[in-house]
Coordinates of all heavy atoms in Angstrom, one line a residue:
M1 N 34.6 -15.8 72.9 CA 33.7 -16.7 73.7 C 33.5 -18.0 72.9 O 33.6 -18.1 71.7 CB 32.4 -16.0 73.8 CG 32.4 -14.7 74.7 SD 30.8 -13.9 74.7 CE 30.6 -13.4 73.0
K2 N 33.2 -19.0 73.7 CA 33.0 -20.4 73.2 C 31.7 -20.9 73.8 O 31.2 -20.6 74.9 CB 34.1 -21.3 73.6 CG 35.5 -20.8 73.1 CD 35.6 -21.1 71.6 CE 37.0 -20.8 71.1 NZ 37.1 -21.1 69.7
E3 N 31.1 -21.9 73.1 CA 30.0 -22.7 73.5 C 30.6 -24.1 73.7 O 31.1 -24.7 72.8 CB 28.8 -22.7 72.6 CG 27.8 -23.7 73.0 CD 26.7 -23.9 72.0 OE1 26.5 -23.0 71.1 OE2 26.0 -24.9 72.0
I4 N 30.4 -24.7 74.9 CA 30.7 -26.1 75.1 C 29.4 -26.8 75.1 O 28.5 -26.5 75.9 CB 31.4 -26.2 76.5 CG1 32.7 -25.4 76.4 CG2 31.7 -27.7 76.7 CD1 33.4 -25.3 77.8
R5 N 29.3 -27.8 74.3 CA 28.1 -28.7 74.2 C 28.5 -30.1 74.6 O 29.4 -30.7 73.9 CB 27.5 -28.6 72.8 CG 26.1 -29.2 72.7 CD 25.6 -29.1 71.3 NE 25.5 -27.7 70.9 CZ 25.2 -27.3 69.7 NH1 25.1 -28.2 68.7 NH2 25.1 -26.0 69.4
A6 N 27.9 -30.7 75.6 CA 28.2 -32.0 76.0 C 27.0 -32.9 75.9 O 25.9 -32.5 76.3 CB 28.8 -32.0 77.4
Y7 N 27.2 -34.1 75.5 CA 26.1 -35.1 75.4 C 26.5 -36.2 76.4 O 27.6 -36.8 76.2 CB 25.9 -35.7 74.0 CG 25.5 -34.6 73.0 CD1 26.4 -33.9 72.4 CD2 24.2 -34.4 72.8 CE1 26.1 -32.9 71.4 CE2 23.8 -33.5 71.9 CZ 24.7 -32.7 71.2 OH 24.3 -31.7 70.3
I8 N 25.8 -36.4 77.5 CA 26.2 -37.4 78.5 C 25.0 -38.3 78.8 O 23.9 -38.1 78.5 CB 26.6 -36.6 79.8 CG1 25.5 -35.8 80.4 CG2 27.8 -35.7 79.5 CD1 25.7 -35.3 81.8
Q9 N 25.4 -39.3 79.6 CA 24.4 -40.3 80.1 C 23.5 -39.6 81.1 O 24.0 -38.8 82.0 CB 25.1 -41.5 80.8 CG 26.0 -42.3 80.0 CD 25.2 -43.3 79.1 OE1 23.9 -43.2 79.0 NE2 25.9 -44.2 78.5
P10 N 22.2 -39.8 81.1 CA 21.3 -39.1 82.1 C 21.6 -39.3 83.5 O 21.5 -38.4 84.3 CB 19.9 -39.7 81.7 CG 20.0 -40.1 80.3 CD 21.4 -40.6 80.1
F11 N 22.1 -40.5 83.9 CA 22.4 -40.7 85.3 C 23.7 -40.0 85.8 O 24.0 -40.0 87.0 CB 22.5 -42.2 85.6 CG 23.6 -43.0 84.9 CD1 24.8 -43.1 85.4 CD2 23.3 -43.6 83.6 CE1 25.8 -43.7 84.7 CE2 24.3 -44.2 82.9 CZ 25.6 -44.3 83.5
M12 N 24.4 -39.4 84.8 CA 25.6 -38.7 85.2 C 25.4 -37.2 85.4 O 26.3 -36.5 85.8 CB 26.7 -38.9 84.1 CG 27.1 -40.4 84.0 SD 27.7 -41.1 85.5 CE 29.3 -40.5 85.6
L13 N 24.2 -36.7 85.2 CA 23.9 -35.3 85.2 C 24.2 -34.7 86.6 O 24.9 -33.6 86.6 CB 22.5 -35.0 84.8 CG 22.1 -33.5 84.9 CD1 22.9 -32.7 84.0 CD2 20.6 -33.3 84.6
Q14 N 23.8 -35.3 87.7 CA 24.1 -34.7 89.0 C 25.6 -34.6 89.3 O 26.1 -33.6 89.8 CB 23.4 -35.4 90.1 CG 23.4 -34.7 91.4 CD 22.7 -33.4 91.4 OE1 21.5 -33.3 91.0 NE2 23.4 -32.3 91.7
K15 N 26.3 -35.7 88.9 CA 27.7 -35.7 89.2 C 28.4 -34.6 88.3 O 29.3 -33.9 88.8 CB 28.3 -37.1 88.8 CG 29.7 -37.3 89.1 CD 30.2 -38.7 88.8 CE 31.7 -38.8 89.0 NZ 32.2 -40.2 88.7
V16 N 28.0 -34.4 87.1 CA 28.6 -33.4 86.2 C 28.3 -32.0 86.8 O 29.1 -31.1 86.8 CB 28.2 -33.6 84.8 CG1 28.6 -32.4 83.9 CG2 28.8 -34.9 84.2
T17 N 27.0 -31.8 87.1 CA 26.6 -30.5 87.7 C 27.4 -30.2 88.9 O 27.8 -29.0 89.1 CB 25.1 -30.5 88.0 OG1 24.4 -30.8 86.8 CG2 24.6 -29.2 88.5
D18 N 27.5 -31.1 89.8 CA 28.3 -30.9 91.1 C 29.7 -30.5 90.8 O 30.3 -29.6 91.4 CB 28.2 -32.1 92.0 CG 26.8 -32.4 92.6 OD1 26.0 -31.5 92.5 OD2 26.6 -33.5 93.0
A19 N 30.3 -31.2 89.8 CA 31.7 -30.9 89.4 C 31.8 -29.5 88.8 O 32.8 -28.8 89.1 CB 32.2 -32.0 88.5
L20 N 30.9 -29.1 88.0 CA 30.9 -27.8 87.4 C 30.7 -26.7 88.4 O 31.3 -25.6 88.4 CB 29.8 -27.7 86.3 CG 30.1 -28.5 85.0 CD1 28.9 -28.6 84.1 CD2 31.4 -28.0 84.3
H21 N 29.9 -26.9 89.4 CA 29.7 -26.0 90.5 C 31.0 -25.8 91.3 O 31.4 -24.7 91.7 CB 28.6 -26.4 91.5 CG 27.2 -26.1 91.0 ND1 26.7 -24.8 90.8 CD2 26.2 -27.0 90.7 CE1 25.5 -24.9 90.4 NE2 25.2 -26.2 90.3
R22 N 31.8 -26.9 91.5 CA 33.0 -26.8 92.2 C 34.1 -25.9 91.5 O 34.9 -25.3 92.1 CB 33.6 -28.2 92.5 CG 32.9 -28.9 93.6 CD 33.7 -30.2 94.0 NE 33.7 -31.2 93.0 CZ 32.8 -32.1 92.8 NH1 31.7 -32.1 93.5 NH2 32.9 -33.0 91.8
I23 N 34.0 -25.8 90.1 CA 34.9 -24.9 89.4 C 34.3 -23.6 89.1 O 34.7 -22.9 88.2 CB 35.5 -25.6 88.1 CG1 34.4 -26.0 87.1 CG2 36.3 -26.9 88.5 CD1 34.9 -26.3 85.8
H24 N 33.1 -23.3 89.7 CA 32.4 -22.0 89.6 C 31.9 -21.7 88.3 O 31.9 -20.6 87.8 CB 33.4 -20.9 90.1 CG 34.0 -21.2 91.4 ND1 33.2 -21.1 92.6 CD2 35.2 -21.5 91.8 CE1 34.0 -21.4 93.6 NE2 35.2 -21.6 93.2
V25 N 31.3 -22.7 87.6 CA 30.5 -22.5 86.4 C 29.1 -22.0 86.9 O 28.5 -22.7 87.7 CB 30.4 -23.8 85.5 CG1 29.3 -23.6 84.4 CG2 31.7 -24.1 85.0
H26 N 28.7 -20.8 86.5 CA 27.5 -20.2 87.0 C 26.3 -20.3 86.2 O 25.3 -19.8 86.5 CB 27.8 -18.7 87.3 CG 28.9 -18.5 88.3 ND1 28.8 -18.8 89.6 CD2 30.2 -18.0 88.2 CE1 29.9 -18.6 90.3 NE2 30.8 -18.1 89.4
G27 N 26.4 -20.9 85.0 CA 25.2 -21.0 84.2 C 25.4 -22.1 83.1 O 26.5 -22.3 82.6
M28 N 24.3 -22.8 82.9 CA 24.3 -23.8 81.8 C 22.8 -24.2 81.5 O 21.9 -23.9 82.3 CB 25.1 -25.1 82.2 CG 24.4 -25.9 83.3 SD 25.5 -27.3 83.6 CE 24.4 -28.4 84.6
S29 N 22.6 -24.7 80.3 CA 21.3 -25.1 79.9 C 21.4 -26.7 79.8 O 22.4 -27.2 79.4 CB 20.9 -24.5 78.6 OG 20.8 -23.1 78.7
V30 N 20.3 -27.3 80.1 CA 20.2 -28.8 80.0 C 18.9 -29.2 79.3 O 17.9 -28.6 79.5 CB 20.2 -29.4 81.4 CG1 20.0 -30.9 81.4 CG2 21.4 -29.0 82.2
W31 N 19.1 -30.2 78.4 CA 17.9 -30.7 77.7 C 18.0 -32.2 77.8 O 19.0 -32.9 77.8 CB 18.0 -30.5 76.2 CG 17.8 -29.1 75.7 CD1 16.6 -28.6 75.3 CD2 18.7 -28.1 75.6 NE1 16.7 -27.3 74.9 CE2 18.0 -27.0 75.1 CE3 20.1 -28.0 75.8 CZ2 18.7 -25.8 74.8 CZ3 20.7 -26.8 75.6 CH2 20.0 -25.7 75.1
E32 N 16.8 -32.8 77.9 CA 16.6 -34.3 77.8 C 16.4 -34.6 76.3 O 15.4 -34.0 75.8 CB 15.5 -34.8 78.7 CG 15.7 -34.6 80.1 CD 14.5 -35.1 81.0 OE1 13.5 -35.6 80.4 OE2 14.6 -35.0 82.2
I33 N 17.3 -35.4 75.7 CA 17.2 -35.7 74.3 C 17.2 -37.2 74.1 O 17.5 -38.0 75.0 CB 18.3 -35.0 73.5 CG1 19.6 -35.4 73.9 CG2 18.2 -33.4 73.7 CD1 20.8 -35.0 73.0
K34 N 17.0 -37.6 72.8 CA 17.2 -39.0 72.4 C 18.1 -39.0 71.1 O 17.9 -38.1 70.3 CB 15.9 -39.7 72.2 CG 15.1 -39.8 73.4 CD 13.8 -40.6 73.0 CE 12.9 -40.7 74.3 NZ 11.7 -41.4 74.0
G35 N 18.9 -40.0 71.0 CA 19.7 -40.1 69.8 C 20.4 -41.5 69.7 O 20.1 -42.3 70.6
F36 N 21.2 -41.6 68.7 CA 22.0 -42.8 68.7 C 23.4 -42.5 68.1 O 23.5 -41.5 67.3 CB 21.3 -44.0 68.0 CG 21.1 -43.7 66.5 CD1 22.1 -44.1 65.6 CD2 20.0 -43.1 66.0 CE1 21.9 -43.9 64.2 CE2 19.7 -42.9 64.7 CZ 20.7 -43.3 63.8
G37 N 24.3 -43.3 68.4 CA 25.7 -43.0 67.9 C 26.3 -44.4 67.5 O 25.6 -45.3 67.2
R38 N 27.6 -44.5 67.6 CA 28.3 -45.7 67.2 C 27.9 -46.9 68.0 O 28.1 -48.0 67.6 CB 29.8 -45.4 67.3 CG 30.3 -44.5 66.2 CD 31.8 -44.4 66.2 NE 32.2 -43.5 65.1 CZ 33.3 -42.9 65.1 NH1 34.2 -43.1 66.1 NH2 33.6 -42.0 64.2
E39 N 27.5 -46.7 69.3 CA 27.1 -47.8 70.1 C 26.0 -48.6 69.5 O 25.8 -49.8 69.8 CB 26.8 -47.5 71.5 CG 25.5 -46.7 71.8 CD 25.7 -45.2 71.7 OE1 26.7 -44.7 71.2 OE2 24.7 -44.5 72.1

């Protein structure tokens, strides 16, 4: 088993969720977080 952890832009959540539903992903957890990276 694997855990996939993705950090994405907040405005992309619905698009990502819809895409995951289309490939039959049946469960995920979502958090609103803050951080910074190379940008």
Side-chain angles (χ1 to χ4, degrees):
M1 293 178 295
K2 298 288 186 178
E3 174 188 338
I4 300 169
R5 190 179 301 168
Y7 297 87
I8 65 169
Q9 299 278 12
F11 62 89
M12 299 304 282
L13 178 59
Q14 190 61 56
K15 186 176 176 184
V16 169
T17 302
D18 292 344
L20 290 169
H21 281 295
R22 283 192 294 276
I23 62 165
H24 307 290
V25 171
H26 298 292
M28 68 182 196
S29 298
V30 176
W31 286 267
E32 293 179 3
I33 62 168
K34 292 182 183 181
F36 66 91
R38 289 188 182 156
E39 72 271 13

